[in-house]
Amino acid sequence: MYGEDPVKSCRKNHAKMTEILSNESTLWDRYNTRGQNVMLPEVQFDEFRVGSQFCVLNRKHALMVIKDRKLWRKFKLPCLNIQSCYPEEHYFPTMLSMQDPNGCTRYTLTRVNWTDSVNGHPHTYHPPEVSPELIYRLRESNSSYSHMFARKFSPDCLTPLMEIADSVIFKD
């Protein structure tokens, strides 16, 4: 699945592009952000996942979320360490990985630049940075798929992005 075109693969398999990560360096801190062993017995550490706060839920997954009471009880608990507490980045990847492990692609098509992040927010691109070269770099990946979206652009980037839309952004 990872070697295929992700859009074609998702259409064919009806999988959703929800980032689900299990080997992040901050995983242990995030798992224990509500207190040590608080997630047990519902969520073992080896089942805990993190991902982007931006995810896609199909109807099946939305119904899983609506019906879930067991896992959400754990994820809605107050956090002891606010710097490691991102419920939306923990709950969806963990729940989907546990309940529908083959229903997600495990990656996102959104490129995020965490260089120069400020207070947990990614780098914001400004008009002087917008160029064909930036778009090409944003499409690159350390995996076998290309990114289709990027964040985070300031509102005043709209004009320079539109100026290169036909010649760069919409051109394969």
Side-chain angles (χ1 to χ4, degrees):
M1 186 167 187
Y2 289 96
E4 293 183 54
D5 177 313
V7 175
K8 289 178 186 173
S9 174
C10 285
R11 282 190 195 133
K12 180 173 65 178
N13 298 319
H14 304 288
K16 295 298 154 203
M17 293 177 195
T18 301
E19 184 177 51
I20 299 176
L21 306 171
S22 59
N23 59 355
E24 294 296 293
S25 61
T26 59
L27 200 62
W28 181 252
D29 290 337
R30 289 181 175 206
Y31 179 74
N32 287 303
T33 194
R34 292 162 186 83
Q36 194 157 0
N37 298 322
V38 168
M39 302 301 284
L40 295 173
E42 288 83 355
V43 182
Q44 304 291 320
F45 176 68
D46 64 343
E47 296 173 309
F48 185 75
R49 303 290 183 263
V50 296
S52 173
Q53 64 182 325
F54 301 102
C55 66
V56 176
L57 297 179
N58 60 18
R59 183 178 178 84
K60 176 183 172 183
H61 292 161
L63 289 171
M64 286 178 179
V65 170
I66 291 167
K67 291 177 181 178
D68 175 57
R69 297 294 177 262
K70 184 173 82 167
L71 292 181
W72 181 243
R73 255 189 314 216
K74 296 294 186 169
F75 286 93
K76 74 176 188 176
L77 293 171
C79 296
L80 303 177
N81 180 359
I82 298 300
Q83 277 67 36
S84 297
C85 189
Y86 308 99
E88 72 282 6
E89 294 180 7
H90 305 158
Y91 173 70
F92 293 112
T94 301
M95 193 269 295
L96 293 173
S97 179
M98 291 172 73
Q99 294 187 19
D100 190 17
N102 296 319
C104 298
T105 59
R106 302 192 172 280
Y107 56 81
T108 179
L109 292 181
T110 303
R111 177 69 175 258
V112 181
N113 179 356
W114 290 103
T115 308
D116 302 325
S117 65
V118 178
N119 296 326
H121 296 282
H123 174 78
T124 300
Y125 295 101
H126 296 282
E129 297 173 276
V130 174
S131 68
E133 291 74 26
L134 173 66
I135 301 304
Y136 299 137
R137 276 196 321 273
L138 291 174
R139 286 182 177 161
E140 292 174 0
S141 172
N142 58 0
S143 189
S144 59
Y145 60 89
S146 297
H147 289 98
M148 294 177 67
F149 308 100
R151 64 180 285 246
K152 177 175 186 182
F153 288 90
S154 65
D156 52 342
C157 285
L158 180 59
T159 299
L161 285 167
M162 292 303 292
E163 289 171 356
I164 62 172
D166 287 335
S167 61
V168 178
I169 296 173
F170 299 129
K171 189 174 183 174
D172 290 327

